[in-house]
Amino acid sequence: MALVGLGHRATTTYLPLVAAADGRVELVGVLDPDRAARARFLDAAGRPDAVQQAVDLDALLRDARPDVVIVASPDDLHAAQVETALRHGTDVFCEKPIGIGTADVSRVLHASRASDAALVVGHNLRFHDLHRAVKDVIDSGRVGRVTTVAMTYYLLPGHGESYLRRWHRTRARSGGLEVTKACHHLDLLTWWMDDVPVEVSGRTSREHYTSDRTPPDADIDDTVAAVVRYAGGGLAMYTLVGRADREGCSLHVQGTGGRVEVEWDAKAPPGSEHVVRVLTTGQAPSTLRIPVAPGRHGGADARMLRHHFDPWDPGAGNVAHAAVAVTVGEAITRSSRRGATVDISGTDAVAHLRGRP
Ligand SMILES: NC(=O)c1ccc[n+]([C@@H]2O[C@H](COP(=O)([O-])OP(=O)(O)OC[C@H]3O[C@@H](n4cnc5c(N)ncnc54)[C@H](O)[C@@H]3O)[C@@H](O)[C@H]2O)c1
């Protein structure tokens, strides 16, 4: 395996994979322009002999010849790096988001179609026990056909502010919070809806982190609200609050035969429980209690890594859903700017999700 981008995500999530003593995953190369980051990572991985590159991914893939490359660089670099890896015929596991807008999405979809190599995008929140439980309830039919999903996601101040301070602070690098952060949630909404989004209305604004508190070039907003209409008529209402007294979300899934209600505390410690209330019309309400798993993102990262890297198995890939999440996020930006609803039914991502690329 090779790793591209050796920052926070790579160190917290992928380093344990390659540093494990069982040798199931062998690190053969790394790429990062930051020499200190390379040295730190290779030292911690116990592989100082791995091939190193500052920025030339072609050379890394040619010289180290990995079976799979993990891309964990800043968001604006993903599409080009994924395209390069696919062109080499190397399987890719790319961090979310797959790109920062529809131009990136089209580029990746084209590269993916033209390559025999596999592409998986790290939408780890699909592997969270609570989110899977909500999916299982919906799929069981206990609430009927889903008509609306309402999610408000809250960020604690330290978390929200980090986006306004780090590289995410410019739209050119992150696509704004509606892409870099919301892509997680927009992907969950489409997964739960089990339908294709076709129309987006959105507004974004800067409510909390005023310009005197951020670097002068910070041009992203910290508050996002959107309505997404799906092909089958279902609606998703989504809000992202960049500064709140809690981390997690309120979620209401309304169906033709009942409702699912969740108050998710993303900081709940292992040993406590997530609570999912299921109200089926004509029946007594029931409560699912799901143990909070240890580990990053409530155990979702570990579950995702086990699923794909134990041993490496890309499965069917999830590029269409990842592409749709970015397409909806970018449509929120466009809708907010224009003050009008944005039709995404003709985009490459939606065509791909419909199976008509
Ligand atoms: N799935 C999740 O829960 C989750 C969580 C955090 C971050 N992420 C994603 O992981 C990625 C990395 O985020 P991070 O927080 O680690 O950022 P970071 O800034 O900590 O690390 C990014 C690294 O990429 C390096 N880099 C810069 N230019 C590069 C290039 N041309 N080629 C290769 N590397 C380059 C930087 O030097 C840095 O070491 C982002 O796409 C982010 O959205 C995902």
Side-chain angles (χ1 to χ4, degrees), residues 8-9 31-32 72-73 75 78 81 95-96 124 166-167:
H8 176 73
R9 183 68 177 158
L31 182 146
D32 194 305
S73 53
D75 301 355
H78 290 182
Q81 291 176 333
E95 258 306 334
K96 51 51 64 180
N124 48 339
R166 301 172 66 212
W167 51 261

Side-chain angles (χ1 to χ4, degrees), residues 37 66 73 96-97 103-104 107 133 155 158 161 172 207 216 221 233 250 270 295 302 321 324 340 347 353:
S73 53
K96 51 51 64 180
D104 279 355
R107 186 175 183 178
L155 300 176
E161 191 162 354
E207 300 295 333
D221 287 333
S250 297
H321 279 105
V324 162
T347 58
L353 188 58

Side-chain angles (χ1 to χ4, degrees), residues 12-33:
T12 53
T13 308
Y14 304 116
L15 175 62
L17 198 62
V18 294
D22 59 18
R24 295 186 78 162
V25 178
E26 186 194 1
L27 180 69
V28 294
V30 294
L31 182 146
D32 194 305

